[in-house]
Structures are given as structure tokens and as C-alpha cells.
Amino acid sequence: VASLSPKKPTKTKTVVLTRADQSRNIKTFNRFLSLCHEAVSERLEDGKSKISAPNPDDEALVCAAAFFGYEFKDRNKNMAFVFEQETQQMLQVEVLYVIPFTSSRKRMSVIIRDVDNKVKI
């Protein structure tokens, strides 16, 4: 028989992040945003490149990441190249595995070896 008495409230732990922690987390999120898509870079006849995405969602992810300072440049078999505007550096991130979007998962995931050499999803 289920008890009708209310449950005792559980204590929650408050985590306070410094501005530096918040800034680092936001930058990491935006860098990951520039990597978690299926867009590719196409070379045009005039020598410029254009991002081509298989769907509007992927295009939106790439555009949002660029707006926040992480411009997706290209991808080859296992490497992705992202230009970080703040440092003016080209970042090379190893793409270890792509878990494609499915209607049942309703998400896509990318497993990478990040710029700090740690494996992340």
C-alpha cells in the first residue's frame, strides 16, 4: 500500500561557477556546436568555399556556431577544422565516430578527440 504522506524534501547542492568557468563552458559548447552536424565544405569555381548541409537544422547549427565565434571550415575522413575567431587559430579536432540522427533518438552525437586530447561526446 502506497503511503500518502508527502516525501521529505531532498537537499540539493548549489554549484556556483565563476565567470571564467562560465566563459570556458560556453566556449566549449559553441565549439561542439560547430562539430555536431553533417554539413560539408564545397569548393566553388571562384576558389571560395560554401557550406552545404543535408538539412536546415544542420545549416542552422553551423551558422549559430559561426555567429558565436567558431566557424566550421572543412571535414575530411576523420578530422574537422574549425576557425576560432577569438584566437584567430584553426582548430583540428579528430572525429572518432558519428552517431547519426534518428527519429527514435531524436538527436545526433559526435565522439571526438578534442583540442585538449581528451575523448568527448
Side-chain angles (χ1 to χ4, degrees):
V1 176
S3 171
L4 297 177
S5 62
K7 292 183 179 180
K8 290 183 182 180
T10 58
K11 291 185 180 182
T12 59
K13 193 175 192 178
T14 303
V15 177
V16 178
L17 296 176
T18 65
R19 283 192 184 266
D21 290 336
Q22 290 175 346
S23 177
R24 186 182 61 250
N25 290 344
I26 290 168
K27 288 175 184 177
T28 299
F29 174 81
N30 288 327
R31 188 174 66 253
F32 290 174
L33 192 64
S34 73
L35 298 166
C36 193
H37 57 79
E38 294 180 344
V40 295
S41 180
E42 292 183 25
R43 303 278 179 235
L44 302 176
E45 290 178 8
D46 62 3
K48 295 181 181 178
S49 63
K50 173 189 169 208
I51 301 300
S52 179
N55 60 64
D57 292 341
D58 282 2
E59 185 174 358
L61 292 173
V62 171
C63 289
F67 179 83
F68 291 112
Y70 292 88
E71 187 178 347
F72 172 75
K73 289 295 189 180
D74 204 356
R75 179 187 317 256
N76 63 26
K77 184 175 181 162
N78 64 343
M79 295 296 289
F81 303 91
V82 175
F83 183 74
E84 184 178 45
Q85 293 174 3
E86 181 180 9
T87 63
Q88 295 291 298
Q89 290 184 339
M90 184 67 71
L91 306 177
Q92 296 182 32
V93 178
E94 185 179 4
V95 179
L96 301 172
Y97 192 73
V98 175
I99 304 167
F101 177 89
T102 64
S103 57
S104 61
R105 283 185 72 227
K106 300 201 183 324
R107 68 182 51 88
M108 122 177 241
S109 302
V110 178
I111 302 172
I112 62 168
R113 184 174 313 281
D114 204 7
V115 293
D116 59 4
N117 208 32
K118 293 182 180 176
V119 175
K120 300 176 182 175
I121 185 167

